[in-house]
Amino acid sequence: MKIKNILIGTSVILATSVALYHAGVIKKAKTFEDSLDKSPKSLDEAVLYGGKMKDYQKQMMQDIKIGAFFGGMQLDFSEVITEKDAYRMDINIVNGGLNIIVPDNFRLKIVDTCKFGGIADHTVCIDPDHSVALSVFADITCGGLNFENPSE
């Protein structure tokens, strides 16, 4: 009888903890989505409980905010048009993942806070003297972030 009560109590505590964690992440995702630029030319993106693939061919590059909450995305910036020498990318991931494809003239500078997650930078800048700087500020909790160049 004692073991049955312990198991029931443990199950209730676990279910409550998971529900509270999900509620907290959903609230964080909604707050993040509210902070996105919603103008038609904006490149800001967020995903909650799902997946996306986006291709930004011939669009003007700009500073970007990206969020993945219990979901994942692949974003292809390989053919964006750049007017400046430097851009900023703010990324927030909670239990999600991102794969970001950047042109081979981008030079990444990544500043991150990873808690049970990680970042992989598989990019190669072919011309460092004429490159575009991309400063990435990533906050990752239980997720992953991958940068790569377009495949030929």
Side-chain angles (χ1 to χ4, degrees), residues 16 18 27 38-39 41 44 46 48 57 59 70 80 90 94 100-102 104 107 118 124 133 141 148-149:
T16 303
V18 169
K27 182 179 180 190
K38 306 235 184 338
S39 66
K41 295 188 185 231
D44 291 358
L48 174 62
Q57 288 188 2
Q59 292 187 35
F70 293 116
V80 293
D90 292 309
V94 180
I100 299 176
I101 303 168
V102 297
D104 54 15
R107 184 175 66 324
V124 176
T141 304
E148 62 185 52
N149 293 121

Side-chain angles (χ1 to χ4, degrees), residues 18-140:
V18 169
L20 289 173
Y21 180 74
H22 277 257
V25 173
I26 290 169
K27 182 179 180 190
K28 186 174 185 174
K30 296 296 182 185
T31 303
F32 183 85
E33 286 178 346
D34 290 343
S35 72
L36 296 179
D37 179 2
K38 306 235 184 338
S39 66
K41 295 188 185 231
S42 172
L43 303 181
D44 291 358
E45 287 292 334
V47 65
L48 174 62
Y49 287 111
K52 285 184 184 179
M53 286 184 70
K54 289 281 223 134
D55 190 351
Y56 297 99
Q57 288 188 2
K58 307 299 180 202
Q59 292 187 35
M60 296 300 287
M61 185 63 177
Q62 55 189 268
D63 294 340
I64 306 166
K65 288 179 75 171
I66 302 169
F69 305 90
F70 293 116
M73 285 190 282
Q74 176 168 308
L75 305 174
D76 187 349
F77 295 97
S78 61
E79 295 187 31
V80 293
I81 300 166
T82 57
E83 291 182 329
K84 302 188 307 184
D85 293 337
Y87 294 93
R88 177 185 177 111
M89 186 178 283
D90 292 309
I91 297 175
N92 197 333
I93 300 173
V94 180
N95 292 85
L98 290 175
N99 186 50
I100 299 176
I101 303 168
V102 297
D104 54 15
N105 68 327
F106 273 39
R107 184 175 66 324
L108 301 182
K109 166 78 169 89
I110 300 172
V111 177
D112 62 275
T113 303
C114 291
K115 300 168 273 305
F116 298 109
I119 297 175
D121 180 4
H122 295 108
T123 62
V124 176
C125 183
I126 59 169
D127 188 7
D129 295 332
H130 299 95
S131 63
V132 175
L134 180 61
S135 297
V136 178
F137 299 91
D139 184 10
I140 301 172

